[in-house]
Amino acid sequence: MPQACAGPEATPRQHDREIVALAVPAFGALVAEPLFVMADSAIVGHLGTAQLAGLGVASALLTTAVSVFVFLAYATTAAVARRVGAGDLPAAIRQGMDGIWLALLLGAAVIVAVLPLAPHLVALFGASHTAAPYATTYLRISSLGIPAMLVVLAATGVLRGLQNTRTPLYVAVAGFVANAVLNVGLVYGADLGIAGSAWGTVIAQCGMAAVYLAVVVRGAREHGASLRPDAAGIRSSAQAGVPLLVRTLSLRAILMIATAVAARLGDADIAAHQIILSLWSLLAFALDAIAIAGQAIIGRYLGADDAQGARDACRRMVQWGMAVGVLLGLLVIASRPVFLPLFTSDSVVKGAAVPALLMVALSQPICGVVFVLDGVLMGAGDGPYLAGAMLVTLAVFAPVALLVPALGGGLTALWAAMTLMMTVRMLTLWLRARSGRWIVTGATR
């Protein structure tokens, strides 16, 4: 697989230093994000079961809504990095502002939709009659912070494109701490209950967005970039994001199908599936950090008209992805005796999880290549191909996964189907990387 990006290897140590410098802070920021939900759950959980159940439903809805718009970070990173490579920092920041304005517009639209529809969305997710009022309250209040959440995504993309992943790490950590303190104070100190948790999250997200905006605005003033909304620029950002939206929705559909199939296999299997999926998501953070470095580095090389540099960086990052994937696979195998008891003491659940975990471990090198090449093609602005490749992957995975219960397969068979899904993704991305058609140089694609 390392041959996917043909071309002589150039200064691998330099590539290594750059990958580590960008990927390590990016990993820290990625890990900090789910801690928001964990902190809310820990604090709200002491209010009662109904409140915690309501939080679970509302958080699932909010997470889904925000994850759909993750293209704001991906597309902005690639576009900004290209202009950085071209040596045009004012245009890079201007491009970033277009992404931020798009985030504000989309966030406002989501608020308009969620406020009146909140009870219906909660009912659609199957909340009980006792949990539904709490879920509706949390969802309505938290939706007010969605514009800030989307601004954080877009501004994170701006800084990544500027080759800065440290600031997002600092902001994410500070946001987590502020969220935890605000939640405790508002839930218990002000006796606001679950509404206090929602308001705490909104305030923390708005604070994070304000910090990001301050950083971007300062950069715009230093380089003379306009801060005003530009209709053509916002439209261009939206167009670049549409293929990545299709990609993200296809991936979400794959994960939903997998969960639905696991639910049909029985209680023990769905319980084991949720444990494994949580581990799979954690492993994905490590690999996604390399992908984020890839987005920034590849975009910069292409913007600088350095096609060979982009090839060399691509090849080196694929090697990193494979190596980290092997390491993660070995860690999964070694940590099984410790990992599973943290989540369950049920021997049946453990029995279902162990062979499926082995499948996850074996698939990690494949996942490493997939994440890296995904990041490389995003950095190149190759969104339409990524959308098509993911639709092909969904078309292959869906019938195979749905056949698992019909053919009497269990959870291991389902995760074999997940491994097949990642293999299909690897093949489609590898073929594109090998073709070189993703290499389009210049300040814009």
Side-chain angles (χ1 to χ4, degrees), residues 257-310:
I257 290 171
T259 299
V261 169
R264 294 176 61 185
L265 298 176
D267 290 347
D269 283 321
I270 185 60
H273 176 74
Q274 288 304 113
I275 294 171
I276 295 170
L277 191 61
S278 66
L279 174 63
W280 195 72
S281 300
L282 178 62
L283 298 173
F285 285 138
L287 299 174
D288 203 25
I290 305 174
I292 287 169
Q295 293 171 32
I297 293 169
I298 294 298
R300 193 191 72 235
Y301 273 118
L302 294 178
D305 294 322
D306 188 352
Q308 188 59 49

Side-chain angles (χ1 to χ4, degrees), residues 1 366 369-370 373 385 420-433:
M1 293 308 300
I366 297 173
V369 176
V370 168
L373 290 181
Y385 183 85
L420 171 65
M421 178 270 293
M422 294 303 292
T423 302
V424 172
R425 286 187 70 189
M426 182 180 69
L427 290 174
T428 56
L429 297 175
W430 176 74
L431 289 172
R432 184 64 167 183

Side-chain angles (χ1 to χ4, degrees), residues 201-214:
T201 300
V202 169
I203 295 170
Q205 291 287 351
C206 289
M208 292 171 65
V211 172
Y212 275 120
L213 288 174

Side-chain angles (χ1 to χ4, degrees), residues 350-414:
K350 289 180 182 178
V354 167
L357 274 176
L358 289 175
M359 189 64 65
V360 171
L362 292 173
S363 71
Q364 287 309 296
I366 297 173
C367 294
V369 176
V370 168
F371 274 79
V372 167
L373 290 181
D374 206 40
V376 166
L377 297 185
M378 283 184 189
D382 205 12
Y385 183 85
L386 288 172
M390 190 59 78
L391 287 172
V392 169
T393 303
L394 174 59
V396 172
F397 172 77
V400 173
L402 294 173
L403 280 173
V404 168
L407 297 177
L411 189 64
T412 304
L414 175 59

Side-chain angles (χ1 to χ4, degrees), residues 34-35 40 63 65 70 97 114 131 151 157 165 183 190 216 257 308 344 367-368 375 382 438:
L35 293 179
D40 288 0
T63 300
V70 73
M97 284 305 305
V114 169
V151 166
T165 56
N183 268 257
V216 175
I257 290 171
Q308 188 59 49
T344 182
C367 294
D382 205 12
W438 57 278

Side-chain angles (χ1 to χ4, degrees), residues 111-351:
I111 289 178
V112 171
V114 169
L115 285 178
L117 294 176
H120 306 289
L121 292 172
V122 167
L124 186 64
F125 264 57
S128 67
H129 70 280
T130 54
Y134 297 111
T136 301
T137 297
Y138 190 93
L139 181 59
R140 278 181 166 156
I141 296 173
S142 294
S143 68
L144 300 177
I146 286 179
M149 295 179 194
L150 300 190
V151 166
V152 167
L153 283 177
T156 299
V158 176
L159 295 182
R160 289 173 180 170
L162 294 171
Q163 318 296 295
N164 177 1
T165 56
R166 289 184 178 273
T167 299
L169 170 60
Y170 300 149
V171 175
V173 171
F176 165 71
V177 173
N179 178 67
V181 172
L182 286 166
N183 268 257
V184 171
L186 294 174
V187 171
Y188 297 109
D191 199 25
L192 294 179
I194 195 169
S197 177
W199 281 117
T201 300
V202 169
I203 295 170
Q205 291 287 351
C206 289
M208 292 171 65
V211 172
Y212 275 120
L213 288 174
V215 172
V216 175
V217 168
R218 185 176 68 242
R221 289 175 176 169
E222 287 177 359
H223 298 285
S226 173
L227 297 172
R228 295 180 179 179
D230 177 67
I234 295 172
R235 185 165 55 250
S236 176
S237 295
Q239 289 171 347
V242 168
L244 296 179
L245 175 62
V246 173
R247 168 202 168 276
T248 300
L249 290 174
S250 300
L251 181 57
R252 296 293 299 184
I254 287 170
L255 297 177
M256 289 175 65
I257 290 171
T259 299
V261 169
R264 294 176 61 185
L265 298 176
D267 290 347
D269 283 321
I270 185 60
H273 176 74
Q274 288 304 113
I275 294 171
I276 295 170
L277 191 61
S278 66
L279 174 63
W280 195 72
S281 300
L282 178 62
L283 298 173
F285 285 138
L287 299 174
D288 203 25
I290 305 174
I292 287 169
Q295 293 171 32
I297 293 169
I298 294 298
R300 193 191 72 235
Y301 273 118
L302 294 178
D305 294 322
D306 188 352
Q308 188 59 49
R311 290 190 185 94
D312 292 343
C314 170
R315 183 177 61 246
R316 194 60 176 172
M317 281 183 284
V318 168
Q319 292 169 350
W320 266 85
M322 292 180 69
V324 173
V326 169
L327 176 61
L328 293 177
L330 293 174
L331 286 174
V332 170
I333 293 173
S335 65
R336 280 180 306 155
V338 177
F339 174 74
L340 285 175
L342 293 176
F343 289 87
T344 182
S345 58
D346 190 324
S347 60
V348 178
V349 174
K350 289 180 182 178

